[in-house]
Amino acid sequence: RGMAGENDAISIIYVLNELPLYRTNEQKGDFRINFWPEAGGSDAPLFLNQTFSTDAELGMWLRTKDFRRAISFALDRLEINEGVFLGRGTPQNQVVDPASPFYPGIESAQFEVNHDMAMANQLLDSLGLTAKDSAGYRLRTDGKGRLSFVLNIREDESVDVSEYIQDQLKDVGIEIILDVDGKANSNFIQNNVPMTMNIDASAHQSNPWHVNWTRLVPLTAGSLLAPSIGNYFETQGASGMAPGGPDPAWTDAMGRMTGPGGFPADISGNLNELAELWNEGKLYGKFSPQRLEIAKSIFRINAEEKYKVDTIGLSATRRGVHISRNNVGNIPMTANREKFGYHHELYYFTDGTGNCACPGGQPTFVRPEK
């Protein structure tokens, strides 16, 4: 229907990798295409669950900063950008659009996002992951076979991104099992290995305080950074992981633990630091100097810790490809997709009463009686 020009104006149903199809039908369908990138700056982040506990060894690696850095170096973001986002995105960590007052600077945006296979392999080897099976995959240090992670994805562009991630991490010996909407490989279901990684591209991230379920800070049980810590904050301590200081069950690969009074899975203490910064930021006005600096710190910590390994941002994917019929006026060429750009009182139909009431035509406009 969209290609036939039967939609007035909408963005949520269109995806970037179908852009050639849209271009082919643009003239015939009498519509135009605009791009509304999400200003939050991360269109396909790979979240590494810091409070994963079902498999002790996998959780240990996810909590190891150098392991997360190795994953970042192993990813070829330029290849992902061209293959999935048609070259329209920017390879970067999650930082807001440079025009935003919250922008922390290009140093944070580009911190360790370069593709460096030698560095990725060096980091993994230095962590002791040197033994490999006949297929070239690295072996677990507990003697239980191949080091494999389940990556949970939805049936959208995440599938395409995840396939690139799967291939690229295979090149450094890390196996990724793709789990589309909970339909994981049967062996992993039998072995009770739930999600360790997740891909999510969510709107409302250009301002860390826009929503309390921000993807930058673990504040809710739905947090993909550290859901158990998020659950603690959401329930005000009634459930979830409580701060209890060092715990041998929650270490990284180097045997390091959190400090006194910290969340057991928060090795560096920066997950709690993010929560404290977020709560402090609420004390100041939206664009006050104090809040701006706090926002920049939140983006910097995420970029450096790699709790989520970001890939591409500012591409106008998912809700960012906007198509409108040419008889719909005042549609902005660019907008922030967080708000979808719709303020109905601003838009109008040219010489018509609307495509729904008059499908296929543009009847003469009749001004209603006052």
Side-chain angles (χ1 to χ4, degrees):
R1 293 187 60 179
M3 297 305 93
E6 297 179 14
N7 290 330
D8 294 337
I10 193 170
S11 65
I12 195 169
I13 64 174
Y14 298 116
V15 292
L16 193 60
N17 57 12
E18 290 183 351
L19 183 58
L21 171 68
Y22 309 155
R23 288 295 190 201
T24 301
N25 289 276
E26 192 171 8
Q27 184 173 357
K28 182 181 66 175
D30 192 29
F31 58 77
R32 62 189 180 277
I33 305 170
N34 291 318
F35 298 100
W36 296 357
E38 204 285 294
S42 188
D43 295 336
L46 176 65
F47 288 85
L48 309 181
N49 183 358
Q50 297 301 290
T51 55
F52 178 79
S53 61
T54 304
D55 185 306
E57 167 125 350
L58 297 185
M60 175 188 72
W61 291 117
L62 294 172
R63 289 187 295 277
T64 302
K65 184 175 180 179
D66 277 351
F67 182 82
R68 302 193 298 268
R69 293 176 63 218
I71 290 178
S72 181
F73 282 122
L75 297 186
D76 187 341
R77 293 167 175 82
L78 291 176
E79 184 179 49
I80 294 173
N81 189 31
E82 292 297 325
V84 181
F85 300 101
L86 306 185
R88 294 194 58 90
T90 301
Q92 63 171 42
N93 292 306
Q94 180 171 6
V95 300
V96 289
D97 186 283
S100 168
F102 297 129
Y103 184 62
I106 194 170
E107 298 82 6
S108 294
Q110 295 299 312
F111 182 77
E112 294 188 348
V113 297
N114 55 304
H115 180 50
D116 191 333
M117 294 291 286
M119 178 60 75
N121 280 304
Q122 179 182 325
L123 286 168
L124 294 172
D125 290 344
S126 70
L127 291 170
L129 288 170
T130 54
K132 298 181 180 179
D133 63 15
S134 58
Y137 287 107
R138 296 177 188 267
L139 298 177
R140 298 164 58 112
T141 59
D142 61 4
K144 296 182 180 180
R146 183 179 293 178
L147 185 63
S148 301
F149 296 87
V150 174
L151 172 54
N152 181 265
I153 50 180
R154 293 173 294 182
E155 293 184 6
D156 52 24
E157 289 179 13
S158 297
V159 175
D160 298 326
V161 175
S162 298
E163 287 174 350
Y164 276 96
I165 291 174
Q166 184 183 50
D167 288 342
Q168 292 169 3
L169 292 185
K170 179 181 179 181
D171 291 339
V172 293
I174 302 298
E175 182 179 50
I176 301 296
I177 302 296
L178 303 186
D179 178 4
V180 181
D181 289 335
K183 303 168 186 175
N185 178 286
S186 60
N187 291 331
F188 279 78
I189 295 175
Q190 292 168 5
N191 293 332
N192 191 30
V193 181
M195 182 273 294
T196 51
M197 302 179 179
N198 198 302
I199 283 187
D200 174 69
S202 180
H204 311 296
Q205 305 301 303
S206 61
N207 179 339
W209 296 273
H210 197 157
V211 288
N212 72 331
W213 45 265
T214 171
R215 298 306 191 221
L216 294 161
V217 183
L219 297 174
T220 67
S223 167
L224 300 177
L225 296 174
S228 293
I229 293 176
N231 189 24
Y232 174 84
F233 285 119
E234 182 177 352
T235 62
Q236 299 182 3
S239 60
M241 176 180 285
D247 185 336
W250 297 91
T251 70
D252 66 3
M254 312 303 292
R256 290 175 292 216
M257 293 181 283
T258 190
F263 291 99
D266 186 10
I267 305 300
S268 69
N270 275 326
L271 288 169
N272 185 55
E273 175 70 7
L274 287 170
E276 290 182 347
L277 286 169
W278 191 87
N279 281 297
E280 181 184 354
K282 291 193 298 181
L283 302 177
Y284 302 104
K286 182 175 181 180
F287 295 120
S288 65
Q290 297 92 335
R291 182 180 273 206
L292 294 183
E293 190 52 46
I294 289 172
K296 293 174 184 178
S297 295
I298 289 174
F299 284 116
R300 289 191 194 105
I301 291 173
N302 274 275
E304 293 170 5
E305 283 286 354
K306 298 287 189 289
Y307 297 129
K308 57 182 177 57
V309 179
D310 296 292
T311 56
I312 305 299
L314 310 175
S315 70
T317 190
R318 293 191 198 141
R319 292 183 277 182
V321 178
H322 183 273
I323 291 180
S324 59
R325 282 197 63 174
N326 287 322
N327 70 330
V328 183
N330 218 27
I331 298 292
M333 292 182 64
T334 185
N336 186 342
R337 76 171 173 89
E338 291 188 350
K339 290 293 188 182
F340 297 88
Y342 289 113
H343 303 278
H344 294 93
E345 68 276 11
L346 301 179
Y347 306 146
Y348 61 89
F349 292 99
T350 303
D351 194 27
T353 58
N355 299 316
C356 180
C358 306
Q362 299 181 24
T364 301
F365 177 73
V366 177
R367 186 177 301 278
E369 295 293 333
K370 291 185 179 180

